[in-house]
Amino acid sequence: VSTQSTWDILNGLKAEFPDHSFIGEETSDENVELGIGPTWMVDPLDGTTNFCHSFPYVSVSIGLTINAKPILGVIYAPILDELYYGVCDGRGSFRNGVPIHVSDVRVPEKASISTGMPKYREYLNFQIGVVNTLLSNKLSSLRVLGSCALDLCGVACGRLDGAFEITGIRCWDVCAGAAILLGAGGVIADPLSGKDVELMSKRMVAACNNDILKLVIDAVHNRTLPENTGTIPDR
């Protein structure tokens, strides 16, 4: 079903934009590269485990990059009936047609942050260490909700104040949500370098502002990284 859905979406996009490039979760190999031209990224089912357990935190995610940067995103959560979309050109981001914006939380005592948990022990231990550091810094709450795309939407609309993934996410998990987040006034970066997020790096940290972003980045840098962090396997 997921593979067929990917092809349905990609074929529709190709009909409208025949000169663009396309990357899909079910149609691209492990070594796919991202060029500078317009490239669509499609995830037909983000939150597969949630879907299998009838947990409603699942979505369809479609994003567009130019110069390897996210510029447009559309994410639909069918069970919640929430449609998010945004463009990084000053027009803002929206949920079901209503403008959204990130929260104004700037201190850990009021912040709620989401993350994902890897299945490989060496990376799981590292992730738990980051979580321990955040909680030691009086973070208000931490959530593991199972959909990177919807976590980014959560930050964009103020339900969450931050989200981070250290391991294993893919470009189609991040692209659309990153565009929506940026359109809603948020920030997103690489948690290791603190610089602009690289969509092919398999990691990201997103936040409502630079204060919360720094909180997570500092927690990551407080830990000893596993070896070969840049080639982490998928979760």
Side-chain angles (χ1 to χ4, degrees), residues 24-164:
E25 179 179 13
E26 307 296 339
T27 61
S28 301
D29 63 34
E30 175 68 23
N31 298 316
V32 63
E33 296 183 357
L34 175 60
I36 63 173
T39 303
W40 294 89
M41 298 184 176
V42 175
D43 187 349
L45 181 58
D46 188 51
T48 304
T49 300
N50 288 345
F51 180 78
C52 292
H53 287 268
S54 299
F55 188 71
Y57 208 67
V58 300
S59 65
V60 180
S61 179
I62 303 172
L64 174 66
T65 69
I66 295 179
N67 293 321
K69 303 295 183 183
I71 66 162
L72 176 152
V74 178
I75 294 175
Y76 181 53
I79 301 174
L80 301 175
D81 193 23
E82 293 184 340
L83 176 64
Y84 295 86
Y85 53 94
V87 185
C88 302
D89 65 354
R91 283 182 283 182
S93 295
F94 303 82
R95 179 182 61 213
N96 292 347
V98 178
I100 57 176
H101 199 274
V102 296
S103 76
D104 59 1
V105 169
R106 292 187 175 274
V107 294
E109 292 87 350
K110 295 183 178 181
S112 180
I113 293 176
S114 182
T115 190
M117 288 295 175
K119 61 184 178 182
Y120 296 92
R121 181 175 298 277
E122 63 269 36
Y123 305 112
L124 177 60
N125 290 339
F126 175 78
Q127 188 94 346
I128 291 173
V130 174
V131 168
N132 284 338
T133 298
L134 288 170
L135 294 175
S136 296
N137 288 333
K138 300 181 180 180
L139 181 71
S140 173
S141 64
L142 187 129
R143 300 286 182 262
V144 180
L145 299 172
S147 169
C148 178
L150 286 181
D151 283 350
L152 289 166
C153 289
V155 180
C157 72
R159 287 176 177 167
L160 294 166
D161 307 300
F164 71 98

Side-chain angles (χ1 to χ4, degrees), residues 144-205:
V144 180
L145 299 172
S147 169
C148 178
L150 286 181
D151 283 350
L152 289 166
C153 289
V155 180
C157 72
R159 287 176 177 167
L160 294 166
D161 307 300
F164 71 98
E165 299 269 3
I166 306 299
T167 68
I169 55 170
R170 301 302 300 271
C171 57
W172 47 75
D173 297 316
V174 180
C175 180
I180 293 167
L181 172 73
L182 292 169
V187 290
I188 185 167
D190 184 309
L192 302 188
S193 69
K195 299 179 180 179
D196 289 348
V197 68
E198 297 287 344
L199 291 175
M200 309 307 286
S201 70
K202 299 187 178 182
R203 57 183 181 260
M204 68 86 196
V205 54

